[in-house]
């Protein structure tokens, strides 16, 4: 995005709305975050019955003000970008639209206003504040490590899911219906509650045999929680090493991209530490 | 397994059923997984009372279709392998048989159908899908690390079990029968629920002394959960290093199997990094 | 702080009260800790109704003795330091004052005595005992690692908070008011209870859809708990390396501050290990 | 312990009872473990009321048989060792005595038999089985790492305890007595239940303010659980490195004890890897 005429109002608007390098851009980002946060607080308070009864009308008006503001913001976003379609179908674009719709839907459908809670999704924009501070390196670092871990974590979660299906099914056989394990999906829900060590206690084993099986489930959960931790710790260490050596170049040939434990340049063979 | 006549139908069948390199093999694996998954969903839904009352007869028919399919699959597996006995007594073979039996048993014994939940064990075949994708390296890596950890984790679990027996017994003395700690096995169950931080709350200490002992149990559990994590993290790091150096050979003598921190070949003494 | 006349009583007092190198200083620190601990035990016991009814008057008297002691201590702290204002507005100074006020406030306002629980904040002085023992290195090491982690942990906690707001809002829509999710803040509280794997069970999903969403929340919490652990483990390792190389100087040029994996001096290029 | 006459019966007895290198020694260890385990199972089952009513008399007789056996074992231990006093006052000696006493006390005091649960402490002998297998290296390794961590873990637990006292006291002020937080020790118990993520739910916040404070407690617990894990992982890595370099000697001067990352001997300066 490098327009020739930098005075172009569209470009300036883009700089303010989409970027945060300029003063106006930072102010816009901070202001937007405050607006999002306030509007969510209003939706939250409005959901509390005794507050709703007292301030319901006020909240309704505030809601429409925010709705207007966010609509204007959405239009400005469409106007100031070169390819509006790309924004509309981007993750943030879809979220912005979802956050707007309930207000308008509530005109036609009674109860649609309760969908306003989806405005909470706009909180994801909170991560833009990191662009404002010095958190960028840390967030990049974490994102890198999580990206590296994603496959291993998926395998782990699939294993846990398979385990909960098997253990939940066995528990359905062991405990009878009258003890809360009324069907297999319910038993699988119990197995997830147990293996993740959440343990609500809404369903808990009653028979000695059930308690025995539950003990095994718990100890399994206790032992395997270590696996994702190990994976992420490991990948953080790798990400750290990568970061470190990213810009280190060979003193002889100047090429980059050496392994973290490399002592000699992998291109010309001369020592990296000379 | 290298038959001379590659056109042999048995070999082709083997390739399809047991391997997943060919197109047909992949299709078979994916199809089988879908069949297993669907059949488990049916068993699950059938266990929900109000769904069973409505669709019970339909589910019963679907069940028999799956039973027929899996029986054919089992027979094909027996036919297409050189040593059927080896398959029958392998882990997957036993699971496949266990998953089949309940349907046939239900003809003779009423209620045997509830054993169909053991079909969930067949879900373990889900890990075959990793053969289809690029997950193989990751799963090998994780398996290696877990294998290395198994002894240390066993020691850890034995320690935790001993602790729960001792702490559960003490709790049985401290809290009286009327507070839910009605016997020692029950108290040990409570200790496991507590030390693993599951905390159902179906049994919880009532007396001040009991709460004091429980606090110690909780803090112990909180502190020692770190141990398996530490172990696995450590062994992941070791497995990563092993992987890295597995196929690295000495540039001088060509021998492999050097330690991860080796700078010089342990066989001929020349630098590994020259 | 190096006064010319070392016999100065103010200086001696300072040494006793603020430092713990001398015998008297150590004795003062230990005595103070015992006094704080005893006074907190008294406040605790006094809060238990049946003990209060029996020993209430005795506890009241002990309270006033401790109040007098801590007032004297506070005055001595003010007197023996050069810049009393600096102490008054330091963290420990504010805590010391907060711990004193309730006793005096209770003369004018009935019930102010219950604020005595803030005396528990003085327990933070317990960390001074580490100055007495050989724990100093360990505590410095841990503090260093935590300082390094603070940014990453903040990002993590912000992510978790955003997640709980979004997931709690969705849950408010899925489960109805009659199932305990009576408003959005309540649902967010539930999401925090669940994602941190605490799981009281005071609010728990009732509908199948709610249980499904809850399962996702739990598995998410189970998988992401690994992140802070990974971060801290990683930063502990970094802190350990920093500590190690802090005072290591180049044998050739004598300069310090080399990286943990440096083999050659980054200033003069000569080997650090020669 | 090197007696001149190896045929000495006392020495043979010592070899059998205290060591496990010989065949007889291994058999004795395994036999003892089975006896301990069986006697504990009997005590456990005897605590279950309906089993006690049926088999109480039988269990009582079995109890006395085990009591006789363990008494003989205790006497043999005293006889076969050179300094019996040392054994009597060793940890295992005290446990062995504690495990014996309840049976004899039950003759004089009714109810003393319930102290038999302390026999569970003898289960600690289970760790002797590691001497029989190949677990010795692993257990040494883990013990080393835990020893290194003990100071850091103590600091951590002290911090957590201080936190729970402060947070519990605040919660006592925020929530009223009628909500379960009936006194400060009770509130501290709640804080421990919450910060360790056990979460029984026997006491849980009721007021919005209380739920807010509880959320902070939970997120704190969620974030700081990472600390002990980090510590142990780190110390496991250190222990691993120590182990590795323990017996590695300099090829030039033959001296041992080099750091894990040493490339050159710290005594003579020649390369450790030549």
């Amino acid at each position: 995005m490098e327009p020739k005429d930098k005075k172009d109002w569209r470009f300036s608007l883009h700089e303010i709305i989409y970027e945060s390098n300029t003063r106006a851009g930072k102010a816009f980002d901070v202001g937007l975050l405050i607006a999002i946060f306030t509007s969510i607080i209003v939706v939250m308070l409005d959901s509390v019955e005794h507050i709703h009864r007292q301030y319901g009308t006020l909240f309704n008006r505030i809601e429409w003000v925010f709705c207007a503001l966010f609509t204007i913001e959405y239009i400005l976003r469409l106007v100031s970008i070169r390819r509006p379609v790309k924004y509309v179908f981007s993750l943030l674009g879809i979220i912005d639209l979802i956050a707007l719709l309930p207000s308008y839907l509530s005109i036609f459908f009674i109860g649609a206003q309760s969908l306003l809670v989806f405005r909470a999704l706009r909180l994801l924009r909170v991560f833009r504040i990191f662009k404002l501070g010095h958190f960028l390196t840390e967030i990049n670092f974490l994102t890198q490590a999580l990206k590296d871990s994603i496959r291993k974590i998926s395998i782990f979660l699939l294993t846990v899911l398979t385990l909960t299906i098997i253990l939940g099914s066995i528990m359905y056989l062991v405990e009878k219906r009258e003890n809360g394990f009324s069907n297999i999906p319910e038993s699988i829900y119990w197995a997830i509650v147990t293996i993740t060590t959440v343990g609500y206690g809404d369903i808990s084993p009653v028979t000695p045999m059930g308690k025995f099986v539950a003990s095994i489930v718990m100890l399994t959960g206790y032992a395997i929680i270590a696996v994702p931790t190990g994976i992420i710790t490991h990948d953080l260490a790798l990400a750290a090493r990568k970061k470190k050596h990213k810009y280190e170049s060979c003193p002889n040939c100047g090429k980059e991209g050496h392994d973290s434990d490399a002592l000699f340049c992998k291109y010309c063979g001369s020592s990296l530490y000379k």
Side-chain angles (χ1 to χ4, degrees), chain A residues 33-87:
Chain A
L33 268 174
I34 292 168
I36 292 171
F37 205 73
T38 319
S39 78
I40 288 165
I41 296 285
V42 168
V43 175
M44 273 186 196
L45 290 177
D46 200 35
S47 77
V48 183
E49 218 177 340
H50 70 98
I51 300 180
H52 174 77
R53 253 175 291 159
Q54 224 177 335
Y55 302 101
T57 336
L58 175 69
F59 284 157
N60 196 25
R61 276 177 213 157
I62 297 176
E63 258 310 307
W64 282 107
V65 172
F66 276 122
C67 178
L69 277 175
F70 291 145
T71 309
I72 294 167
E73 182 220 338
Y74 191 75
I75 292 165
L76 287 179
R77 278 187 190 272
L78 287 180
V79 166
S80 67
I81 206 167
R82 276 199 182 167
R83 297 188 203 140
V85 183
K86 213 182 156 188
Y87 162 69

Side-chain angles (χ1 to χ4, degrees), chain A residues 85-156:
Chain A
V85 183
K86 213 182 156 188
Y87 162 69
V88 170
F89 291 103
S90 72
L91 185 66
L92 284 175
I94 292 165
I95 287 171
D96 289 352
L97 195 65
I98 289 173
L100 272 179
L101 283 183
S103 311
Y104 294 108
L105 283 175
S106 70
I107 304 173
F108 309 105
F109 307 101
I110 292 158
Q113 203 143 16
S114 69
L115 294 169
L116 271 171
V117 297
F118 285 116
R119 188 167 288 164
L121 288 171
R122 288 209 80 189
L123 269 185
L124 290 172
R125 279 201 181 269
V126 90
F127 292 103
R128 295 215 46 161
I129 63 165
F130 296 126
K131 286 207 183 162
L132 303 172
H134 302 282
F135 284 83
L136 210 58
T137 342
E138 256 88 14
I139 213 166
N140 275 349
F141 175 60
L142 284 176
T143 319
Q144 180 61 43
L146 288 178
K147 252 186 213 157
D148 294 354
S149 304
I150 212 96
R151 268 195 193 173
K152 287 184 214 118
I153 298 283
S154 318
I155 296 174
F156 171 74

